[in-house]
Amino acid sequence: NRHKCLRKKNFHITRFFSTVTIAFTAFFYTHAAAQLLQFNVRKISTESGLYTSDIRHLIKDSYGFIWVATSNKIQRYDGKHTKDFFIQDGNTYYRGLAEDQYGKIWVATNNNLYTYQHGHAEFVKYRDTAKIMGDYLSLLAGPGKRIYILCREGLIYLDERTGTSKPVLIKGFQMPNNSYFPFVNFKDHLFWSNRSMIYRYNITTAILDSVAVKMIRNIEVITEDSIWAGSTSLTSSLICFRKKIIEPVTASLFDKKF
C-alpha cells in the first residue's frame, strides 16, 4: 500500500510539472510571437532632405544606407542626413536601383548604366554595353547579388568579375513601350511582366515559361510556382505556373489559402 501511495503521488507530481511545462512553453511562444509582431515605425519628414513625394525605387545597402531613386535624382539617407546625386543623362528616367555582391550601387536609365563605389563623390557611367538587347527597362540584384537587367528584347546579366555583360535569353519576345514593368526575383527565379504575359526564368536550368495574364501592374512572389499579381483594373489574381491556373483573388479565397 505504501508503494502504491508513492507511485500515485509521483504520478500526480509528474503530471503537475508536465502541465506547468506545457503552460510555460505555450506562454513563452505566445509572448515571443507577440514580440515579433511589434514594429517600430518612424515617419521621415522632408526636413531630413529626403524627397518623399515621388519615390520610384528604394533599397537598403550592406552599409545600412537607404538609397532612393526619385524622378530627378538619387538620394542616400543615413538616418539623419541626406546626400543628393544627380545624373545628367538627357530625359532621365530611373529604371532600377540595386547593390551588387561587391557593394557597388547600380542605377539604370533608358540608355545607360551607372555605378557608385562607396567613398567616391558621384555615380560613374558604366562602360558601353552596346545595348545588345535594346533599351533598359528595369534592373535588380538577383541570386548572389548579381545584377540582372530587363531590356526591350531580352534579359542580360553583368559579370563584374570579367567586366562583361551577357545575354541570358534568346531574343524571343518584345517588351512594349510602357513606362513601368514589374521585375522581381525569388531564390533562383526571375519574374517579370510585359502587360500581357508573366514570365518566369529559372537561372539554374535556363528554362523560361510564361502565363498569359493581361494588364499586370504588380507582382509578389509566394513560392517558386505561385505568385500574386495585381492588375491596372484594381483586380488581383493568384497564378500557378505549373498548372497554368489563374484564380481571381477574393477575401474568402485569400483567408482560405493563407
Side-chain angles (χ1 to χ4, degrees):
N1 289 336
R2 184 169 175 269
H3 289 299
K4 277 188 177 181
C5 288
L6 285 174
R7 282 199 298 270
K8 189 173 182 182
K9 185 177 180 181
N10 289 335
F11 170 76
H12 287 297
I13 290 173
T14 303
R15 187 170 66 174
F16 169 77
F17 279 107
S18 298
T19 304
V20 170
T21 302
I22 293 170
F24 177 80
T25 303
F27 169 79
F28 175 80
Y29 280 108
T30 303
H31 181 69
Q35 292 295 317
L36 289 174
L37 293 175
Q38 294 179 1
F39 298 96
N40 182 20
V41 180
R42 179 167 62 94
K43 182 179 180 180
I44 302 174
S45 68
T46 53
E47 294 178 359
S48 65
L50 197 62
Y51 188 59
T52 58
S53 63
D54 188 19
I55 294 176
R56 306 292 177 85
H57 306 279
L58 184 149
I59 63 168
K60 181 180 180 181
D61 70 15
S62 56
Y63 292 87
F65 292 112
I66 301 296
W67 290 86
V68 177
T70 69
S71 57
N72 63 350
K73 59 185 172 182
I74 306 292
Q75 295 189 296
R76 186 186 68 190
Y77 179 63
D78 64 5
K80 292 183 178 180
H81 306 100
T82 301
K83 179 176 175 57
D84 294 340
F85 298 87
F86 295 92
I87 295 176
Q88 304 300 325
D89 191 47
N91 185 19
T92 301
Y93 188 95
Y94 296 119
R95 294 291 187 174
L97 190 64
E99 181 189 31
D100 69 13
Q101 66 267 43
Y102 303 105
K104 287 183 180 179
I105 303 299
W106 290 79
V107 62
T109 66
N110 288 358
N111 303 310
N112 294 293
L113 300 173
Y114 294 85
T115 64
Y116 175 80
Q117 185 72 48
H118 283 280
H120 292 194
E122 59 187 15
F123 278 82
V124 177
K125 184 178 178 181
Y126 188 60
R127 64 170 192 79
D128 184 16
T129 58
K131 295 179 70 174
I132 54 179
M133 302 294 251
D135 292 342
Y136 304 133
L137 302 178
S138 192
L139 171 149
L140 60 73
K145 300 187 78 172
R146 173 177 284 176
I147 299 299
Y148 288 84
I149 306 168
L150 179 64
C151 302
R152 186 74 61 192
E153 299 174 358
L155 184 70
I156 63 176
Y157 77 86
L158 300 179
D159 188 343
E160 270 295 276
R161 186 177 60 83
T162 60
T164 58
S165 55
K166 300 178 181 179
V168 294
L169 290 180
I170 299 173
K171 298 181 183 181
F173 67 99
Q174 184 74 29
M175 301 293 283
N177 295 317
N178 298 90
S179 59
Y180 174 79
F181 302 92
F183 184 39
V184 298
N185 75 288
F186 183 81
K187 296 184 178 178
D188 58 350
H189 288 79
L190 301 177
F191 298 84
W192 68 92
S193 170
N194 67 355
R195 300 298 173 86
S196 62
M197 302 285 290
I198 295 180
Y199 295 92
R200 178 181 67 170
Y201 178 70
N202 188 318
I203 297 170
T204 304
T205 63
I207 294 175
L208 174 70
D209 61 347
S210 61
V211 176
V213 187
K214 293 183 178 180
M215 305 303 292
I216 296 302
R217 177 67 181 174
N218 296 296
I219 294 174
E220 291 294 336
V221 182
I222 302 170
T223 68
E224 295 96 328
D225 190 57
S226 303
I227 66 170
W228 171 87
S231 74
T232 55
S233 60
L234 303 181
T235 59
S236 302
S237 301
L238 287 173
I239 299 167
C240 176
F241 275 87
R242 181 171 53 86
K243 296 181 179 179
K244 305 299 182 185
I245 294 175
I246 303 170
E247 197 169 8
V249 172
T250 61
S252 59
L253 174 67
F254 198 87
D255 290 340
K256 183 172 123 180
K257 286 187 176 289
F258 304 103

